[in-house]
Amino acid sequence: MNPLTDTDALQDFPALLQQHRGILAKVAGTYAWHPDDRDDLMQEIAAQLWRAWPGYDTGRPFSTWMYRIALNVAISYVRGRTRGVQPESWHEDHHDLADPNPHDHESHQQVDQLYRFIQTQPPLDRALLLLYLEDRSYREMADVLGLSETNVATKISRLKQRLRQEL
């Protein structure tokens, strides 16, 4: 492990955070449907990343480290906010992520179905789906989530099967 120790390395944090800000948005968008909640979650993730930054191992990819922390914070956030409360159902008015094909009605319906499916999944499965949709390798997913590659492959296979059944 090669944790950060010098002042110059600590100054790299804002640039790396900016470079990988899409990870924050994707994780927050997967776990918080309301824009205010997403903003709160993004701030919480950024704060936790800053607290963990001095221990970042520069020998490992920053994005993998960032995903691991972001997903752990998001899962804790969801668990803390939903104890004894039914989660708000997904609705187009509450979820303002941009549709890449706004004029393709069939694609729009498929995206809606996918978001609904993702929302019904437990937090760990949401994380797996997010990483899978990001085209992350099984090795990277395993590293981010602290699972074995075999476990990741099994869980992804089961998620695909459930998705096919539901859609």
Side-chain angles (χ1 to χ4, degrees):
M1 184 168 172
N2 182 17
L4 298 171
T5 53
D6 66 31
T7 306
D8 291 335
L10 289 175
Q11 293 173 359
D12 290 340
F13 179 78
L16 284 169
L17 187 62
Q18 179 65 22
Q19 180 183 352
H20 295 282
R21 70 184 178 277
I23 292 172
L24 289 176
K26 288 172 191 162
V27 171
T30 301
Y31 287 87
W33 300 99
H34 189 273
D36 291 339
D37 293 337
R38 269 199 312 275
D39 290 344
D40 289 347
L41 181 53
M42 286 178 65
Q43 288 179 4
E44 182 61 32
I45 292 168
Q48 185 58 38
L49 287 165
W50 175 249
R51 286 190 287 274
W53 178 245
Y56 167 61
D57 178 359
T58 57
R60 305 198 63 145
F62 179 79
S63 63
T64 301
W65 174 82
M66 187 178 195
Y67 259 121
R68 177 173 242 174
I69 290 173
L71 289 168
N72 284 331
V73 170
I75 289 168
S76 294
Y77 180 85
V78 168
R79 287 181 179 154
R81 292 180 58 96
T82 60
R83 284 198 177 96
V85 176
Q86 285 294 325
E88 179 182 347
S89 63
W90 185 88
H91 187 275
E92 187 174 338
D93 295 339
H94 295 133
H95 202 283
D96 59 359
L97 292 179
D99 182 355
N101 302 309
H103 302 294
D104 185 347
H105 182 68
E106 186 176 328
S107 291
H108 185 72
Q109 286 181 323
Q110 289 174 339
V111 169
D112 283 351
Q113 289 176 326
L114 180 60
Y115 280 129
R116 284 187 194 102
F117 176 79
I118 290 170
Q119 183 199 15
T120 65
Q121 302 310 302
L124 178 61
D125 289 349
R126 285 188 206 179
L128 276 167
L129 285 166
L130 175 66
L131 293 168
Y132 181 78
L133 292 171
E134 284 286 309
D135 288 328
R136 301 295 173 155
S137 69
Y138 284 5
R139 175 177 292 261
E140 188 171 5
M141 286 187 246
D143 194 29
V144 166
L145 298 171
L147 302 171
S148 70
E149 286 184 61
T150 303
N151 198 346
V152 166
T154 300
K155 286 180 177 292
I156 292 292
S157 176
R158 289 178 183 158
L159 282 167
K160 285 180 181 179
Q161 184 177 15
R162 282 199 317 246
L163 184 60
R164 278 192 290 275
Q165 289 171 349
E166 290 202 24
L167 302 181

